[in-house]
Amino acid sequence: MAVPAMAIAKTDVAPATHITDMAGRSVMLPKKVKRIVLLDARDILAIAMLHPAPSELVAGWADTARLDSEALRKTYEQRPDGTVIEVVGGSSPDTLSHEKIIALQPDLVVATAYSVPDLGTGELAQRLSRANIPIVFSNVSSNTITHTDTGSNPFDETAALMRMWGKILGSSSRAEEFIAFVDKHRRIIASRLGNVAPTKTYLEIQSTYEDCCWAAGQQIWGNLLEQASGRNLSAIKAPWYAHVSTEQLMIEAPDVYIATGGAYAADMRPAVGPGLDPVSARAGLKRLTERTGFATLPAVQNDRVHCIWTGLLTIAPLQILFLEVAAKWLHPDIFTDLDPGDTLEEINHRFLGKPLAPPCWISLKDDPTR
């Protein structure tokens, strides 16, 4: 694969001075946002789609574990001046250091409903307000609260998110280019699946060797699966995730099994993600199929066993890759000409200044030794 060209950000002439964030809040911004603190490190990928040097803009970040990729963290943690992005918190809201955030003198703090469950009405927002630092929300979906997500289409959410970032960065034209790119690829998938019967699929949100079975719910992950013409387990009614017994999984008998993996806790689950070893990843996926009851599943018996890096589900601008990969896995006869790797290469070439490396997905049947 050729080394991607550096993406060039298109800066609009007159950046907006106010935006509506993903929580529906109208927020006034400085004329030029040069220092940002991200309370969810995954937001740096949205910036990276629109700006050739996202680390230049990020003064601090929190919850880098949610990147689920050491390669991504190392790619973006060093700023152009040689300094490292300051860590202002961990993987729970109570780890955020208000003092560190304010001491970094950001022009903007970007939060999520998970990192700031009060959605901008609590102590952190008040302290930021007193320091004349605006706070906006990039995501209002959280399985820890019940009053945010309404089951909207994830790709509509992505479009709104990228428009928000386009206004923040003065790159609205580039944001629209990315939105059009995603929409084009999504429409191709939808046009072919219009009258296709969905494939029963076990999409596992927490694939660990010693535990089973945590299935994706109806929100976001389940919605993306549905758009790939996958049918979730019939026992799943919960919005976010549900625990299904091994016995129930065996009764459901899914035709396809999609596990999830990443760099975090790689000794407990498949290490699938940018820059990781695909041989080790595949060995981890095989280990998952050796859990009790899996040998009876049609998915395992027919070699329709796959694993996806969690980032393709949880990082909104990358969800188009999950849609394509899942559609090809679930309906291979319909998508013989589709190569999601080409889509990844196009994203790398057109939008990301630093390419996203494979393996972001694997399948057991790719193993020539089987």
Side-chain angles (χ1 to χ4, degrees):
M1 183 181 296
V3 177
M6 173 64 76
I8 304 299
K10 299 175 182 177
T11 303
D12 297 339
V13 175
T17 57
H18 74 278
I19 65 164
T20 299
D21 70 4
M22 297 299 289
R25 301 160 61 253
S26 181
V27 180
M28 294 295 297
L29 298 180
K31 289 187 179 297
K32 189 75 170 177
V33 175
K34 296 180 179 179
R35 291 177 62 80
I36 303 172
V37 169
L38 304 176
L39 302 189
D40 185 329
R42 293 174 295 187
D43 271 323
I44 201 163
L45 267 295
I47 300 175
M49 296 293 179
L50 307 181
H51 193 282
S55 303
E56 181 180 22
L57 301 176
V58 179
W61 60 4
D63 206 358
T64 58
R66 283 183 182 255
L67 286 168
D68 209 2
S69 169
E70 282 297 292
L72 277 186
R73 182 183 63 78
K74 290 177 181 178
T75 294
Y76 291 110
E77 70 178 355
Q78 186 165 335
R79 307 177 76 238
D81 63 4
T83 61
V84 174
I85 295 175
E86 185 78 22
V87 176
V88 299
S91 295
S92 61
D94 61 341
T95 64
L96 290 176
S97 171
H98 299 185
E99 291 75 17
K100 275 190 176 182
I101 293 169
I102 293 171
L104 287 172
Q105 299 182 307
D107 301 312
L108 178 67
V109 172
V110 181
T112 67
Y114 178 80
S115 61
V116 181
D118 57 57
L119 295 180
T121 62
E123 179 186 355
L124 175 59
Q126 292 172 11
R127 294 185 67 173
L128 292 174
S129 178
R130 290 194 292 271
N132 294 315
I133 301 169
I135 181 172
V136 302
F137 285 82
S138 63
N139 192 316
V140 293
S141 299
S142 172
N143 59 22
T144 63
I145 53 181
T146 59
H147 62 277
T148 53
D149 197 278
T150 58
S152 57
N153 188 324
F155 292 107
D156 292 339
E157 295 292 311
T158 298
L161 173 69
M162 297 308 290
R163 288 190 173 106
M164 184 192 84
W165 276 112
K167 289 184 178 181
I168 290 172
L169 303 176
S171 299
S172 289
S173 57
R174 186 159 177 80
E176 293 300 329
E177 181 183 349
F178 181 78
I179 292 165
F181 165 82
V182 170
D183 192 57
K184 174 185 175 182
H185 284 258
R186 183 172 63 88
R187 287 180 183 276
I188 291 172
I189 299 296
S191 67
R192 297 193 191 182
L193 293 175
N195 298 312
V196 174
T199 301
K200 180 175 275 194
T201 306
Y202 173 37
L203 174 58
E204 192 170 42
I205 68 167
Q206 182 174 291
S207 303
T208 57
Y209 305 135
E210 305 300 328
D211 194 16
C212 191
C213 305
W214 293 95
Q218 297 179 359
Q219 303 277 22
I220 304 181
W221 293 30
N223 186 298
L224 290 168
L225 180 65
E226 183 179 355
Q227 291 192 53
S229 195
R231 179 162 58 92
N232 208 343
L233 304 182
S234 60
I236 306 302
K237 307 299 181 186
W240 298 106
Y241 58 87
H243 184 260
V244 178
S245 68
T246 302
E247 293 76 14
Q248 181 63 39
L249 182 63
M250 294 168 66
I251 292 170
E252 296 269 0
D255 295 303
V256 175
Y257 168 40
I258 302 176
T260 53
Y264 181 74
D267 58 331
M268 299 172 58
R269 61 186 185 134
V272 177
L276 296 176
D277 177 24
V279 175
S280 297
R282 192 169 287 109
L285 178 56
K286 185 176 187 300
R287 186 175 171 184
L288 288 176
T289 68
E290 295 167 352
R291 291 176 294 178
T292 301
F294 273 70
T296 71
L297 304 182
V300 175
Q301 293 173 351
N302 297 321
D303 269 335
R304 302 187 71 183
V305 175
H306 314 281
C307 190
I308 199 93
W309 170 50
T310 58
L312 301 192
L313 285 158
T314 63
I315 300 174
L318 301 179
Q319 288 173 345
I320 187 60
L321 290 167
F322 173 79
L323 179 64
E324 288 196 348
V325 172
K328 190 173 179 81
W329 284 340
L330 301 181
H331 305 282
D333 294 341
I334 297 175
F335 294 104
T336 56
D337 60 333
L338 174 66
D339 185 350
D342 290 343
T343 304
L344 174 58
E345 185 172 6
E346 188 174 359
I347 289 173
N348 284 338
H349 182 79
R350 290 181 58 186
F351 299 103
L352 289 177
K354 297 179 179 180
L356 188 66
C360 295
W361 57 85
I362 60 168
S363 299
L364 267 191
K365 67 179 181 181
D366 294 340
D367 188 347
T369 66
R370 280 180 58 84

